[in-house]
Amino acid sequence: MNYSLVKDLLSLVEDFESENSVNIQELNVENFLEWSWEKKAQKKINYEKETLWEGKESGRSPESVISTLFVRLNRYAKKYSKAAISHSDFSTQDDFIYLISLRTSGPMTKTQLIKKNIHDKSAGNLIITRLLQRGWVQQENSSFDNRAKVLCITETGIDVLEGQMRNIRLATHIVSGNLNESEKIELIRLLNKLTKFHEQIWDQNPPSENLLDFVDKQYMIAN
């Protein structure tokens, strides 16, 4: 027998009793049903308020809102990241992002590192060159292919990264803002789903000049 419904009902009754603990005489079925209905109505009102957005009444699509919010959040995140590396030896946030990638994921080729951070080859090579010149990263022979070179974070790179990790962690914490733990987990799930969708597109390395048509024909029909 599936007791999930009973468990949910008991949890709801506990909430009802908790909110009405002062008025013991009101703890009856009739008042419980009324309380439950009011809770449901309030939840609907809150949901409707949360799903309002600028331009919705004039026909602005949710896709437009999502795209705009991503751009805005990215800019906020960059400002916090810039603040996190102020008064440090880092030139840009990409410097510490590349170091974090190498420290958490281990050695990788230049191409793998650039691809992991969604950069153009030219921009990625500039970052890597800067890290190599500062001695934060070094090239070694790959343990899987002697013909290939991989990038590894050096002890100096680790020290520089550790020296700034408090501010970096604080910046990432601030980016999460006022989300509670369950909201963070749900956001991670949704962002992972969206990231996987885009990863399958970029894995094919489509040319920029017909990128939108390529994605529209190959992927958007199914969605």
Side-chain angles (χ1 to χ4, degrees), residues 130-160:
R130 185 162 59 245
L131 297 179
L132 287 168
Q133 290 174 343
R134 293 184 174 180
W136 297 347
V137 165
Q138 65 185 17
Q139 289 194 91
E140 298 178 353
N141 291 325
S142 171
S143 58
F144 300 101
D145 184 356
N146 291 330
R147 297 169 298 176
K149 294 283 188 179
V150 294
L151 297 169
C152 306
I153 187 171
T154 64
E155 288 298 324
T156 303
I158 292 174
D159 290 341
V160 171

Side-chain angles (χ1 to χ4, degrees), residues 116-203:
K116 183 177 181 65
N117 289 285
I118 325 294
H119 269 131
D120 292 330
K121 186 176 180 180
S122 57
N125 279 327
L126 285 175
I127 297 166
I128 292 171
T129 298
R130 185 162 59 245
L131 297 179
L132 287 168
Q133 290 174 343
R134 293 184 174 180
W136 297 347
V137 165
Q138 65 185 17
Q139 289 194 91
E140 298 178 353
N141 291 325
S142 171
S143 58
F144 300 101
D145 184 356
N146 291 330
R147 297 169 298 176
K149 294 283 188 179
V150 294
L151 297 169
C152 306
I153 187 171
T154 64
E155 288 298 324
T156 303
I158 292 174
D159 290 341
V160 171
L161 188 60
E162 282 298 320
Q164 211 62 27
M165 279 309 296
R166 179 189 175 277
N167 284 341
I168 293 172
R169 291 191 181 101
L170 178 58
T172 57
H173 181 74
I174 292 172
V175 170
S176 298
N178 57 350
L179 298 180
N180 61 40
E181 286 304 308
S182 61
E183 289 171 334
K184 290 176 186 177
I185 298 303
E186 177 62 10
L187 182 59
I188 289 171
R189 185 188 70 81
L190 293 173
L191 292 177
N192 273 331
K193 180 178 180 180
L194 194 54
T195 297
K196 289 176 181 177
F197 170 81
H198 292 290
E199 281 178 346
Q200 65 180 335
I201 295 170
W202 289 101
D203 283 345

